[in-house]
Amino acid sequence: MNRYRVDLHIHTVLSPCAELEMSPDAIIKRAKEEKMDVIGIADHNSTRQSEVVKQLGGEFGITVLCGAEINTKEEVHCLVFFENNEKLNEFQVYLDEHLPRVKNKPELFGDQVWVDRDNNILGVEEKLLIVALDVSMDEVAAKVNEMEGLFIPAHADKTRFSVTSQLGFLLPDIPVSGIEVSANVKMKEFELKHPWVKNYSVIGSSDAHMLNQIGSSYTSMLLEKPSFSEIKMALKGEAGRKVVGIIKNDRLSTD
Ligand SMILES: [Zn+2]
Ligand SMILES: [Zn+2]
């Protein structure tokens, strides 16, 4: 078994708040420079850019998990990932159904386009992606769980759009695969305030909106190989697979 570098929270050009430089090829090249083994594509409430990034990743030896950063009815951000295209597409239908019809104003919020590997525009999302879905956190978690996906409350230490800021704590019956903390987390302080966090595997990611943020915070995982199912096992601590820790500035974070 080997240690792998995993950054599961990267936005692309499709997210209105991400820089236009976040094209599939630029993301993969940067991830390669940062020696990432696995990255997760997590645009706000949409999975539409992730497949192109996955294809390119395959050519550069980078495993790409396809999914989204959903915004629940309670305005809790959660990372979701699926094992194959069939499930990804099924979840996209669910997102289209549950994303309210609020029109994007690109001049105000930013462009929402998805592109091919050569940066030709494949489509424009007309609905504003950063609004909340009309389904609650436990409803989305149940849907993702039923589809055998990963469901990870995002940047749980943050004072906005997190499970702690919106709900105070995580209901123990919500089926989550792990908890993500932001690059700025003070882990000991966070655990003191929210002791329930210790019941879960905790991962760190960059939440990159621009290229130079990719890999700035990531998770070291012990895996047989870099794949969706191995990461799922590591989050559960199964068969020797595990989350080793969060790496920031090239060091294991121990604060
Ligand atoms: Zn977020
Ligand atoms: Zn994000």
Side-chain angles (χ1 to χ4, degrees), residues 9 11 44 69 155 207 209:
H9 192 156
H11 291 268
H44 292 292
E69 179 180 27
H155 41 68
D207 197 359
H209 284 70

Side-chain angles (χ1 to χ4, degrees), residues 25-41:
D25 68 318
I27 287 171
I28 290 299
K29 282 176 187 152
R30 181 71 190 191
K32 191 80 191 165
E33 280 167 22
E34 293 296 314
K35 301 189 177 67
M36 291 300 124
D37 300 298
V38 184
I39 62 170
I41 296 302

Side-chain angles (χ1 to χ4, degrees), residues 66-235:
C66 292
E69 179 180 27
I70 59 125
N71 187 12
T72 72
K73 200 175 182 175
E74 308 92 335
E75 305 242 42
V76 178
H77 287 186
C78 300
L79 304 174
V80 301
F81 298 105
F82 297 96
E83 187 158 23
N84 55 44
N85 278 354
E86 204 187 330
K87 286 179 179 166
L88 190 72
N89 294 338
E90 184 190 334
F91 191 72
Q92 183 60 50
V93 172
Y94 179 83
L95 287 175
D96 288 338
E97 207 178 295
H98 292 288
L99 183 66
R101 291 196 174 279
V102 178
K103 207 173 170 338
N104 182 33
K105 295 190 178 83
E107 64 286 1
L108 205 61
F109 300 110
D111 290 308
Q112 299 184 153
V113 298
W114 66 98
V115 299
D116 69 10
R117 54 189 296 145
D118 301 314
N119 296 325
N120 300 305
I121 292 177
L122 292 174
V124 179
E125 178 54 63
E126 300 286 347
K127 288 199 285 186
L128 181 58
L129 289 171
I130 52 176
V131 300
L133 300 173
D134 66 7
V135 273
S136 60
M137 185 175 171
D138 59 330
E139 288 174 296
V140 188
K143 170 77 180 169
V144 174
N145 192 43
E146 173 199 303
M147 293 172 64
E148 297 169 321
L150 301 179
F151 185 86
I152 304 170
H155 41 68
D157 55 303
K158 276 199 170 179
T159 53
R160 293 178 70 206
F161 302 119
S162 76
V163 65
T164 54
S165 75
Q166 304 308 108
L167 304 172
F169 65 100
L170 179 66
L171 284 168
D173 55 345
I174 295 185
V176 306
S177 317
I179 301 286
E180 185 209 49
V181 291
S182 76
N184 299 320
V185 69
K186 297 256 180 288
M187 206 55 212
K188 280 183 183 155
E189 225 174 279
F190 182 54
E191 281 180 351
L192 265 178
K193 243 173 146 176
H194 302 282
W196 55 265
V197 169
K198 292 183 193 161
N199 300 333
Y200 299 92
S201 287
V202 178
I203 65 164
S205 342
S206 64
D207 197 359
H209 284 70
M210 52 183 88
L211 287 173
N212 66 14
Q213 293 171 330
I214 294 172
S216 54
S217 173
Y218 65 90
T219 309
S220 174
M221 291 190 189
L222 198 60
L223 311 168
E224 191 70 48
K225 59 181 194 296
S227 70
F228 179 93
S229 56
E230 286 279 323
I231 286 175
K232 196 172 192 180
M233 287 170 83
L235 291 169

